């Protein structure tokens, strides 16, 4: 019997010929990641293990991005713990204000993750790197501590479900809409403990940025990881970035899947997830009209160049609604610079957007756009849980950048079609 | 080890933002976490909960962020054990790693009500309703995880592995 993509990568990193779902394996990791919220707890636990140095200073990356630039004194103290540790351990890759970005936008861009890698990060959206054909998954601080010390992590081999997307994308539909639609179909625990393997001709045409968005939200279906096959689009993305050699794995034709889902993307319109779960999705035709106070375009889900391009294509020559605050947060310094060179930033500022330095900021209710009681935001982020972006009685609606930009102009949840706009291309 | 406690009941998909909102994550101090544990689901919970109490919740408990602050907050608030039909996988690992007992048992999670008194035998996974005497059997942990729990959590287990002593 064949193996799925995830089973092959886990087997290779466990030094085994093959693995079976349910089996417990000890795996070598290629990269471990922490941030300013999770790393301080991990660093304290690391100090109890009895080793002085991390297992490999090239393979431990700590990114201060959640409450950085430091939002208050306590956050500054936490970030300092991370900074001091990174300096003391002489970590090879160090990122900070001015060179950093949101971790899951940054690591692929910096060439630190490649196909076939096994990555763990103390951040649930570590699953983002599955877009590159890597096995990557979120863990907690204690797992991070043990991985920093030993370079190994134990896993229960997950069952894999296969998600195949057929057809040609509708106008204004991007990876965000496909993954929101999928979560709406299977629920927030629809892939609990499982690997989500994405495939199909619609995926083959999907840009790298849209693939990152889809892999990023695998956790919102409860999955351990989301993973894409490696193709020319992947190869072209890593060509001038990746710092290490890599290995491409492919699923066997006779691999066993727990479930197989087939979607015709021609039937999928832009999606909006209503409060307070990412599974509460509706097509834009059923979602339009909700009045909003704030729009956030950014995060590890949708803070990449493609997202900013789509937003600018809609906001060009238009103004943000006077009752709406539009906050745009490029995912990394490089994305910010690229957007600046393309004229995107100017378009956004002319429209009335506030553009910020990279940070997770408002996505998790940290800073840079917290909601008051009763306020509503539409965001390109990943979670709309109770209190996620501020007051427990505020609301978050999730969508892709096209809906976000159009809504910021109209002051209510809306499609770019309402602005007389017809088409945007998000294919590579 | 046998625990006996009073039950607080919660619904499906209790996420880690609700268990401990990110606005309190600028500190990992257990007292700070305990003071705000589950306040967005029930503002009075931090003041009502007492050491030894047990949470019985719906499916997918602990979904969302990887913050270990979530099981740490529950533990610091005095919660002795969480029973649910299923747990989100990162929360599951975190709870095992830090020594917060969790049990998967759909039947118990369905039947037990808020305010009930129950006892839990962590070795056998048997859950007993004090008033009615009804019992339920939780899913047993795989032997490797029992080894982890027995060693005192992942850090103690790893210390023994890398240094050769506990």
């Amino acid at each position: 019997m064949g193996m799925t993509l995830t089973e092959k990568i886990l087997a290779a990193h466990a030094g085994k010929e093959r693995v079976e779902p349910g089996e417990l394996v000890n795996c070598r990791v290629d990269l471990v990641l922490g941030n300013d919220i999770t790393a301080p707890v991990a660093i304290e636990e690391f100090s109890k293990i009895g080793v002085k140095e991390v297992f490999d200073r090239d393979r431990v990356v700590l990114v201060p991005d959640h409450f950085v630039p430091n939002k208050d004194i306590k956050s500054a103290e936490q970030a300092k713990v991370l900074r001091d540790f990174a300096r003391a351990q002489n970590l090879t890759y160090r990122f900070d204000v001015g060179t950093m970005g949101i971790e899951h936008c940054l690591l692929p861009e910096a060439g630190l993750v490649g196909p076939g890698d096994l990555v763990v990060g103390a951040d649930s959206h570590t699953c983002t790197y599955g877009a590159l054909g890597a096995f990557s998954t979120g863990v907690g601080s204690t797992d991070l501590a043990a991985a920093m010390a030993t370079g190994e992590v134990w896993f229960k081999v997950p069952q894999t479900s296969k998600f195949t997307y057929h057809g040609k994308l509708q106008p204004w539909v991007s990876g965000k809409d496909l993954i929101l639609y999928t979560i709406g179909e299977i629920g927030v625990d629809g892939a609990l403990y499982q690997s989500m393997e994405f495939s199909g001709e619609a995926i083959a045409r999907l840009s790298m940025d849209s693939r990152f968005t889809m892999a990023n939200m695998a956790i919102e279906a409860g999955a351990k990881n989301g993973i894409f096959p490696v193709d020319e689009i992947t190869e072209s993305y890593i060509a001038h970035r990746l710092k290490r050699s890599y290995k491409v794995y492919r699923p066997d034709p006779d691999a066993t899947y727990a479930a197989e889902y087939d979607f015709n993307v021609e039937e999928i319109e832009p999606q909006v997830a209503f409060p307070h779960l990412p599974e509460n999705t509706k097509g834009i035709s059923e979602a339009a009209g909700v009045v909003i106070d704030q729009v956030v375009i950014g995060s590890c889900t949708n803070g990449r160049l493609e997202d900013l391009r789509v937003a600018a294509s809609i906001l060009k020559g238009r103004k943000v609604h006077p009752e709406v605050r539009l906050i745009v947060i490029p995912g990394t310094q490089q994305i910010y610079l690229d957007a600046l060179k393309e004229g995107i930033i100017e378009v956004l500022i002319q429209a009335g957007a506030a553009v910020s330095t990279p940070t997770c900021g408002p996505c998790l209710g940290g800073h840079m756009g917290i909601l008051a009681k009763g306020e509503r935001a539409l965001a390109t982020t990943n979670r709309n849980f109770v209190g996620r972006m501020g007051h427990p009685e505020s609301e978050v609606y999730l969508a892709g950048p096209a809906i976000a930009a159009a809504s910021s102009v109209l002051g209510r949840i809306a499609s770019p079609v309402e602005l007389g706009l017809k088409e945007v291309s998000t294919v590579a | 080890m046998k625990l006996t406690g009073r039950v607080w009941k919660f619904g499906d998909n209790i996420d880690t933002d609700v268990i401990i909102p990110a606005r309190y994550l600028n500190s990992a101090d257990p007292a700070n976490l305990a003071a705000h544990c589950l306040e967005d689901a029930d503002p009075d919970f931090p003041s009502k909960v007492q050491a030894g109490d047990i949470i019985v919740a719906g499916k997918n408990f602990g979904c969302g962020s990887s913050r270990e602050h979530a099981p740490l907050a529950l533990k610091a608030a005095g919660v002795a054990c969480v029973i649910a039909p299923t747990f989100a996988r990162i929360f599951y690992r975190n709870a095992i790693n830090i020594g917060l007992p969790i049990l998967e048992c759909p039947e118990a999670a369905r039947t037990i009500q808020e305010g009930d008194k129950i006892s839990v035998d962590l070795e056998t996974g048997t859950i007993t309703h004090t008033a009615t005497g009804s019992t339920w059997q939780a899913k047993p942990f795989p032997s490797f995880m029992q080894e982890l729990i027995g060693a005192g959590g992942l850090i103690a287990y790893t210390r023994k592995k890398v240094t050769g002593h506990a």
Side-chain angles (χ1 to χ4, degrees):
Chain A
M1 195 58 86
M3 286 192 287
T4 68
L5 201 39
T6 288
E7 287 159 9
K8 283 195 174 177
I9 297 174
L10 289 176
H13 287 78
K16 302 181 78 152
E17 280 292 311
R18 58 176 298 112
V19 294
E20 307 279 350
E23 187 179 343
L24 286 157
V25 289
N26 203 43
C27 290
R28 173 179 60 75
V29 297
D30 295 302
L31 196 77
V32 300
L33 165 73
N35 61 48
D36 52 310
I37 290 178
T38 59
V41 177
I43 290 164
E44 189 178 336
E45 295 303 308
F46 178 85
S47 72
K48 298 174 189 167
I49 291 174
V51 296
K52 286 197 166 50
E53 292 174 358
V54 298
F55 81 104
D56 184 340
R57 65 189 193 90
D58 294 342
R59 293 173 187 272
V60 176
V61 180
L62 304 176
V63 183
D65 59 358
H66 278 58
F67 293 166
V68 169
N70 305 344
K71 80 177 177 100
D72 54 30
I73 295 170
K74 283 183 177 174
S75 303
E77 299 289 348
Q78 286 200 142
K80 188 169 184 295
V81 171
L82 179 155
R83 290 172 174 131
D84 289 348
F85 183 81
R87 196 179 301 117
Q89 292 286 330
N90 197 20
L91 300 184
T92 308
Y93 302 106
R94 289 176 53 196
F95 303 96
D96 211 326
V97 174
T99 57
M100 65 93 172
I102 299 170
E103 50 197 343
H104 310 308
C105 298
L106 183 67
L107 265 50
E109 179 190 279
L112 296 175
V113 185
D117 275 0
L118 192 153
V119 181
V120 293
D123 187 279
S124 61
H125 293 111
T126 301
C127 51
T128 307
Y129 319 127
L132 292 168
F135 173 88
S136 62
T137 191
V139 295
S141 295
T142 299
D143 270 317
L144 169 62
M148 287 199 300
T150 63
E152 292 175 0
V153 178
W154 68 268
F155 290 110
K156 185 172 165 184
V157 177
Q159 291 188 314
T160 301
S161 286
K162 187 175 182 180
F163 297 80
T164 309
Y165 300 82
H166 306 280
K168 194 164 171 282
L169 295 185
Q170 292 296 298
W172 306 111
V173 168
S174 66
K176 181 62 163 285
D177 304 294
L178 299 188
I179 194 66
L180 283 178
Y181 182 86
T182 305
I183 296 164
E185 289 293 304
I186 69 172
V188 291
D189 61 349
L192 189 63
Y193 307 133
Q194 293 187 358
S195 170
M196 296 174 82
E197 195 174 289
F198 300 107
S199 66
E201 73 263 16
I203 296 298
R205 285 196 291 267
L206 207 59
S207 69
M208 217 44 240
D209 283 359
S210 263
R211 294 181 192 184
F212 283 123
T213 303
M214 289 186 72
N216 173 275
M217 287 191 71
I219 177 71
E220 293 352 308
K224 178 172 261 181
N225 70 317
I227 194 160
F228 285 72
V230 174
D231 60 15
E232 307 79 50
I233 293 173
T234 331
E235 301 273 6
S236 140
Y237 179 88
I238 60 177
H240 302 292
R241 292 187 170 93
L242 194 57
K243 294 177 169 31
R244 285 183 270 111
S245 60
Y246 62 95
K247 186 164 180 200
V248 174
Y249 296 90
R250 304 203 185 281
D252 290 323
D254 59 344
T256 306
Y257 294 96
E260 296 191 40
Y261 301 88
D262 283 86
F263 300 112
N264 176 4
V265 303
E266 303 192 5
E267 292 168 5
I268 299 176
E269 57 172 338
Q271 300 288 304
V272 179
F274 279 52
H276 290 286
L277 283 175
E279 71 182 21
N280 295 337
T281 53
K282 292 182 184 180
I284 186 65
S285 58
E286 294 167 53
V290 177
V291 175
I292 47 172
D293 303 287
Q294 177 169 295
V295 171
V296 175
I297 299 175
S299 82
C300 59
T301 311
N302 283 111
R304 297 184 182 81
L305 194 57
E306 169 184 296
D307 306 310
L308 304 185
R309 269 187 196 138
V310 169
S313 76
I314 293 164
L315 285 158
K316 193 174 170 70
R318 294 190 169 80
K319 289 284 181 197
V320 172
H321 190 278
E323 299 297 331
V324 173
R325 313 177 295 263
L326 171 60
I327 298 166
V328 180
I329 308 178
T332 64
Q333 289 288 100
Q334 188 60 52
I335 294 167
Y336 199 161
L337 190 58
D338 290 344
L340 195 69
K341 286 179 180 166
E342 279 191 27
I344 290 170
I345 300 297
E346 188 176 343
V347 166
L348 296 173
I349 291 175
Q350 292 280 8
V355 183
S356 155
T357 194
T359 179
C360 304
C363 171
L364 74 162
H367 60 156
M368 292 296 299
I370 305 306
L371 300 175
K373 182 176 176 177
E375 285 194 323
R376 280 197 197 113
L378 178 82
T380 67
T381 56
N382 41 59
R383 293 189 175 129
N384 53 355
F385 299 152
V386 171
R388 174 72 178 177
M389 201 174 271
H391 195 281
E393 290 174 46
S394 61
E395 291 183 345
V396 178
Y397 294 73
L398 304 174
I403 297 300
S407 303
S408 76
V409 171
L410 290 162
R412 54 183 167 79
I413 295 178
S415 162
V417 176
E418 285 196 54
L419 296 168
L421 292 160
K422 285 201 175 62
E423 179 67 86
V424 69
S425 172
T426 54
V427 294
Chain B
M1 192 173 144
K2 206 166 172 184
L3 309 165
T4 301
R6 181 179 51 152
V7 167
W8 298 101
K9 198 94 191 266
F10 289 89
D12 291 343
N13 303 312
I14 293 295
D15 61 78
T16 55
D17 278 84
V18 158
I19 296 170
I20 184 73
R23 58 186 179 274
Y24 304 116
L25 296 185
N26 55 4
S27 162
D29 170 38
N32 160 63
L33 299 176
H36 301 290
C37 184
L38 281 162
E39 69 173 31
D40 284 359
D42 177 358
D44 299 326
F45 185 76
S47 53
K48 290 191 303 198
V49 66
Q50 285 173 14
D53 286 356
I54 293 168
I55 285 179
V56 177
K59 65 173 186 160
N60 202 25
F61 187 88
C63 61
S65 123
S66 70
R67 63 190 69 166
E68 205 159 286
H69 309 65
L72 286 170
L74 291 166
K75 204 176 169 187
V79 172
C81 173
V82 184
I83 299 167
T86 52
F87 290 87
R89 61 161 288 275
I90 305 177
F91 182 92
Y92 185 100
R93 283 183 83 106
N94 287 347
I96 301 286
N97 286 344
I98 68 150
L100 172 72
I102 55 170
L103 294 172
E104 283 188 336
C105 187
E107 301 78 17
R110 200 167 43 235
T111 315
I112 296 167
Q113 297 301 318
E114 175 133 329
D116 287 357
K117 204 170 159 193
I118 60 171
S119 58
V120 177
D121 185 325
L122 293 179
E123 265 81 61
T124 62
T126 307
I127 302 162
T128 308
H129 192 281
T130 307
T132 65
S134 304
T135 62
W136 301 273
Q137 185 58 46
K139 217 160 117 183
F141 289 110
S143 58
F144 169 71
M145 268 181 248
Q146 285 179 18
E147 205 183 318
L148 262 187
I149 296 163
L154 182 66
I155 293 301
Y157 176 87
T158 306
R159 185 169 58 234
K160 198 172 170 192
K161 201 165 107 179
V162 298
T163 66
H165 52 82

